[in-house]
Amino acid sequence: MLEQKKSLFSITIPIFLELLLVTVVGNVDTIMLGRFSDKAVGSVGGMSQVLLIQNTILSFICLGTTILMAQFIGAKNHKSTKEVIAASLLMNLFIGIVLGFIYFIGWEWILIKIKLPLNLREIGMDYFKLVGGLCVFQAISLTNGAILKSYGNTKPMLFINVGVNLLNILGNGMFIFGWLGAPILGVTGVGLSTVFSRFIGAIISLIVMTNYCKFKMEDLNKFTLEKVKKILSIGIPTAGEHLTWSLTQVIILAMVNTMGTIEITARTYLALVSSFIMIFSIALGHGTAIQVGQLVGAGDKEKAYNQCMKSLTLSFMAATLVSILVYIFRFKIMELFTKDMEVVKATAKVFPWLIFIETGRTFNIVVINALHAAGDIKFPMAMGCFVMLGVAAPLSWLLGIRLEMALAGIWIANGTDEWIRGFAMLWRWKTKKWMNKSFV
């Protein structure tokens, strides 16, 4: 196990490349389905936010694991690191199995509740059952990635995702276009490809993690309720925050689903574009969190404070530049996805507001990660729940539905939420109240 301190750059770049790869290849599903049919894109996009809830729930264990591990590593407490690994693996394995059962059994009720049109439900139901029902593979991969990243060792998951996502592309091509003589299964085939590639990723990531951390399967016996409680003490408040965000987005998605197939498809493409703009900020946020956790664990809190502020400045500048470029080339970008001019027109009204939302989002990505890493969990949760449910959801209804601004209203509402929370998080960081909240 390697414990030497690494620079923010050496930690962030592999995370950035991994996220870029995952985003590119993950969105290849959407791009390739766009060549198949825009209705297929609308079907997958119309249920995407519900499927993302599985990642949100699994990630709260991963976040608790990363923060706790980083602080124990900084304190050179080797015994506790193995106990945390055992606890996080077993917890996420259990959660993945339970979540999968809920998705598989309750798929129809869920899709009806989010108001997905019947024709889109019929297209995507098998995809939903496959990707949702077998999320246990994602649980294993996410946990292994969190453990490796807590050591600042971000490269293995990058290489694993290269192979896994290339496999996913091959599978998509086989089932969408009939490559290698495979049957054309459309959206269902994309689900099969996704699940199989995630299965391979889970196996490989487990092998890499156990070798790197010198963790043997018998070490699972080191599972302790004490470490479970510590992980949950970090994870549950952050889960409340992330689940509130997911719930808010599901509510907003249900609003969009009432606007018709054109708006549903347009939202899917716009979310895809946003995911690319966010990549650098997310990578920098994760890298900053790892460093802040290790610095706090080692007692160097002033350096942790300065590191977060530098990262925020860099992230804001990058998001501003990229979102402006995206606005300038908006029509060229949309040509990559669809030829349907109705969809293009629907997205054109939203692109100016991407600058507003993405610049505000940088505060929440970077500063919230830093607050979590320092042990300040409850404030981001409380503020997030209040603003997301009190601003984003009702304002989306007011602007998007009541005032008939459609997707532009939805983006304005979400941008307002990001900026309000962002300034609140920056204020919290500057008060330095987080300095007395570490876990070790």
Side-chain angles (χ1 to χ4, degrees):
M1 291 180 285
L2 303 176
E3 295 183 8
Q4 70 265 30
K5 292 182 180 178
K6 298 184 178 182
S7 68
L8 179 65
F9 181 82
S10 67
I11 296 172
T12 299
I13 291 303
I15 296 176
F16 170 77
L17 293 174
E18 178 192 343
L19 288 170
L20 179 62
L21 178 72
V22 169
T23 303
V24 169
V25 181
N27 285 314
V28 163
D29 286 358
T30 301
I31 296 169
M32 294 176 82
L33 280 172
R35 298 292 184 269
F36 183 71
S37 94
D38 276 336
K39 283 189 176 181
V41 172
S43 175
V44 173
M47 61 181 66
S48 61
Q49 203 62 53
V50 180
L51 288 172
L52 284 175
I53 290 177
Q54 63 182 241
N55 283 1
T56 300
I57 295 173
L58 296 168
S59 293
F60 87 81
I61 298 295
C62 294
L63 180 61
T65 299
T66 300
I67 293 171
L68 205 55
M69 288 272 298
Q71 293 195 8
F72 280 133
I73 290 166
K76 302 187 185 304
N77 188 333
H78 305 302
K79 177 176 177 289
S80 290
T81 58
K82 286 199 173 183
E83 291 174 352
V84 173
I85 292 172
S88 61
L89 276 174
L90 291 174
M91 277 196 290
N92 257 356
L93 184 65
F94 174 75
I95 292 171
I97 292 170
V98 172
L99 275 177
F101 180 78
I102 294 171
Y103 276 106
F104 190 80
I105 298 299
W107 70 270
E108 188 172 18
W109 181 85
I110 294 169
L111 296 183
I112 289 173
K113 287 299 180 182
I114 64 169
K115 303 184 187 301
L116 190 67
L118 177 60
N119 64 324
L120 299 186
R121 288 205 304 270
E122 291 174 344
I123 292 171
M125 62 180 181
D126 289 333
Y127 174 89
F128 187 86
K129 287 189 285 187
L130 282 165
V131 176
L134 293 171
C135 61
V136 65
F137 302 138
Q138 187 77 337
I140 295 169
S141 294
L142 288 172
T143 308
N144 292 326
I147 292 165
L148 289 167
K149 287 173 185 174
S150 66
Y151 284 95
N153 186 26
T154 54
K155 290 181 182 178
M157 290 310 296
L158 168 63
F159 296 130
I160 290 169
N161 277 298
V162 168
V164 167
N165 288 315
L166 287 176
L167 181 62
N168 189 38
I169 290 178
L170 175 62
N172 285 348
M174 289 171 61
F175 295 124
I176 295 176
F177 305 120
W179 292 356
L180 305 178
I184 295 177
L185 301 177
V187 175
T188 300
V190 171
L192 287 169
S193 176
T194 298
V195 168
F196 180 73
S197 61
R198 285 182 176 180
F199 167 72
I200 298 299
I203 298 300
I204 297 174
S205 66
L206 185 61
I207 293 170
V208 171
M209 185 281 291
T210 52
N211 286 336
Y212 182 83
C213 299
K214 304 295 188 289
F215 186 87
K216 300 176 182 179
M217 286 300 104
E218 50 263 35
D219 287 332
L220 289 173
N221 293 326
K222 295 180 179 178
F223 174 90
T224 66
L225 288 178
E226 179 199 353
K227 292 302 182 290
V228 169
K229 289 176 182 177
K230 284 198 171 185
I231 291 173
L232 292 178
S233 71
I234 303 169
I236 287 178
T238 59
E241 177 188 341
H242 292 304
L243 282 173
T244 301
W245 184 86
S246 293
L247 174 61
T248 303
Q249 293 306 310
V250 168
I251 293 169
I252 293 170
L253 178 63
M255 296 179 198
V256 175
N257 285 344
T258 65
M259 297 177 186
T261 303
I262 296 296
E263 301 293 330
I264 295 171
T265 305
R267 177 202 168 275
T268 304
Y269 288 132
L270 287 164
L272 185 156
V273 173
S274 286
S275 68
F276 280 99
I277 299 174
M278 288 188 283
I279 292 173
F280 182 73
S281 294
I282 294 173
L284 199 59
H286 287 178
T288 302
I290 292 168
Q291 281 212 324
V292 166
Q294 292 182 355
L295 288 167
V296 168
D300 197 348
K301 296 177 181 178
E302 279 299 329
K303 190 172 181 180
Y305 174 85
N306 293 328
Q307 184 60 70
C308 176
M309 296 306 297
K310 289 177 184 176
S311 296
L312 177 61
T313 301
L314 186 57
S315 178
F316 184 85
M317 292 170 60
T320 302
L321 176 61
V322 174
S323 55
I324 289 173
L325 289 173
V326 165
Y327 172 73
I328 293 171
F329 296 105
R330 59 194 181 281
F331 293 111
K332 292 290 185 184
I333 290 170
M334 287 309 300
E335 286 177 6
L336 299 173
F337 305 134
T338 182
K339 302 299 181 185
D340 189 329
M341 290 310 298
E342 291 299 317
V343 174
V344 173
K345 287 178 183 177
T347 60
K349 298 174 184 177
V350 179
F351 271 103
W353 297 105
L354 282 179
I355 302 171
F356 176 58
I357 191 172
E358 298 306 335
T359 49
R361 204 192 304 269
T362 59
F363 291 86
N364 293 302
I365 292 173
V366 175
V367 183
I368 288 179
N369 270 304
L371 286 168
H372 288 167
D376 195 350
I377 307 296
K378 293 181 181 179
F379 179 83
M381 178 200 69
M383 181 58 65
C385 293
F386 176 74
V387 179
M388 285 183 277
L389 290 175
V391 176
L395 195 57
S396 291
W397 174 83
L398 176 64
L399 299 179
I401 305 297
R402 189 75 175 84
L403 299 181
E404 299 182 351
M405 294 176 66
L407 292 179
I410 300 292
W411 254 253
I412 293 170
N414 277 275
T416 303
D417 158 62
E418 294 286 356
W419 275 98
I420 293 173
R421 285 190 295 121
F423 277 126
M425 298 308 146
L426 181 61
W427 169 82
R428 181 68 171 188
W429 186 256
K430 283 180 170 291
T431 64
K432 298 186 179 181
K433 291 182 178 179
W434 50 269
M435 286 190 173
N436 298 317
K437 297 183 180 290
S438 65
F439 301 103
V440 298

